Amino acid sequence: MISNDMMLDVTSATGLNDKTLVAATLHLPDDMSDGQLQLVFALHGGGYSRLYWHPTFADESYSFARWFTDHGKAVLTVDMLGMGESSRPEPEDCLSRNIIAAAHADALAQVVAKLEQPVGVTGIGHSMGGMMIIAQAANHSGLDRIAVLGWANEPMELGDTNVETLLSDLPASGYIPTAREPMRKLFYWPDVPLKLIEADEAHASTTPVTLGKDALKPGIVHEAAAQITLPVLIVQSVVDTSPSPQKEISYFKTASSVELQTLENAAHCQNFASTRATHWNDLNSWIDRTS
């Protein structure tokens, strides 16, 4: 795997006054084939960064990026605007879901333009990133299909936490940490090693309140989901955010196809599950079928 870190200037796409950068890493296969390159554009969830897709604090068997590049695909991971190493515009409430989606679409377009071959793009969003990949697909070109992992259009269940309480406790604006320990039962299947959980939590990012508020509002991207005409894959683990995974299909009313995959022996963070390779293989097969 050949990895290249970059900082992408998305100021013009956001319309913000200050210079705005999105941190990204492009992971390429060691052996690049001729013809169309399949690129996976991956958005992490709330409280995370692009490390979710290539956790340098864990052994390489946990690397989504390593697995997919070993199977001939490229992987572009970004820190969502306002998170990780990407810019944190001030005041935070100058951000919106639409501005952040525009920044991500521009970052993707810049990287695709640099690749010297045809590219097919699969947009993937985990958790809050699922909300954002839906928003991006509905309003911007550049994606050929999307996979929505661990995001619920149904009213979400967040383990032992109460969604209404979480929403009421959010400040008006700012970049805030997520209380991760109370989320462990939702995030990790019981067989995930405690040392890995603690390392994952130690690498947490703050999250823009803008996205936190949106993610906790039922129906926030229902309209956007209904506009998507691309192939859609929905992935929910046995322990996850949707109370009725089968009902998730109905929200993508105009999609050219919709599939649902359920991952056994896994919780919300599929990349840390002992069954992660099954998840990656099923996702890879779906990309190949719809390419």
Side-chain angles (χ1 to χ4, degrees):
M1 181 172 73
I2 303 167
S3 300
N4 180 28
D5 295 329
M6 58 193 82
M7 297 296 290
L8 302 167
D9 190 333
V10 296
T11 310
S12 61
T14 64
L16 298 174
N17 292 327
D18 296 327
K19 187 174 183 179
T20 308
L21 304 174
V22 165
T25 303
L26 178 62
H27 303 280
L28 295 172
D30 289 324
D31 297 317
M32 294 282 286
S33 60
D34 295 331
Q36 188 179 58
L37 175 68
Q38 289 298 329
L39 172 69
V40 177
F41 174 66
L43 297 178
H44 58 82
Y48 276 89
S49 70
R50 67 192 191 278
L51 282 177
Y52 178 71
W53 307 105
H54 183 59
T56 53
F57 51 83
D59 72 67
E60 287 203 339
S61 75
Y62 289 95
S63 174
F64 175 102
R66 169 68 69 181
W67 193 95
F68 275 87
T69 55
D70 283 350
H71 287 75
K73 292 179 173 61
V75 179
L76 175 62
T77 62
V78 300
D79 289 346
M80 291 207 290
L81 185 59
M83 302 174 71
E85 296 178 324
S86 291
S87 295
R88 290 176 168 83
E90 293 290 352
E92 181 275 334
D93 58 10
C94 71
L95 292 175
S96 69
R97 191 173 65 260
N98 289 338
I99 285 174
I100 295 171
H104 298 164
D106 187 44
L108 171 62
Q110 289 183 46
V111 174
V112 169
K114 294 176 183 177
L115 294 168
E116 297 179 350
Q117 62 189 106
V119 179
V121 181
T122 301
I124 292 180
H126 177 251
S127 196
M128 183 185 286
M131 173 183 74
M132 292 309 303
I133 207 67
I134 290 170
Q136 183 175 333
N139 294 288
H140 301 276
S141 60
L143 299 172
D144 296 300
R145 65 196 61 78
I146 64 166
V148 181
L149 318 179
W151 166 261
N153 279 312
E154 285 284 286
M156 287 193 295
E157 294 180 346
L158 297 178
D160 296 332
T161 61
N162 181 278
V163 172
E164 291 182 359
T165 300
L166 288 174
L167 188 57
S168 65
D169 288 345
L170 288 176
S173 183
Y175 298 93
I176 59 172
T178 301
R180 292 284 290 275
E181 193 164 339
M183 307 295 280
R184 285 184 179 181
K185 288 183 180 179
L186 173 65
F187 280 14
Y188 314 101
W189 194 251
D191 63 358
V192 178
L194 178 59
K195 286 186 177 180
L196 178 60
I197 293 172
E198 291 173 342
D200 183 40
E201 292 173 346
H203 288 82
S205 168
T206 55
T207 301
V209 166
T210 293
L211 289 189
K213 288 179 178 178
D214 281 359
L216 292 172
K217 292 177 183 176
I220 191 69
V221 287
H222 284 185
E223 183 177 345
Q227 295 172 7
I228 294 170
T229 58
L230 308 171
V232 174
L233 174 67
I234 299 162
V235 179
Q236 287 275 315
S237 300
V238 170
V239 173
D240 219 326
T241 57
S242 180
S244 304
Q246 194 66 36
K247 291 183 179 179
E248 299 294 329
I249 295 171
S250 66
Y251 291 97
F252 297 94
K253 302 179 188 301
T254 60
S256 59
S257 65
V258 186
E259 294 184 32
L260 170 66
Q261 294 176 0
T262 302
L263 185 61
E264 300 294 332
N265 299 322
H268 182 58
C269 292
Q270 294 98 358
N271 286 356
F272 298 124
S274 60
T275 52
R276 59 192 176 277
T278 298
H279 161 53
W280 297 338
N281 186 69
D282 291 345
L283 174 57
N284 189 54
S285 296
W286 172 77
I287 294 172
D288 290 344
R289 285 199 309 275
T290 57
S291 296

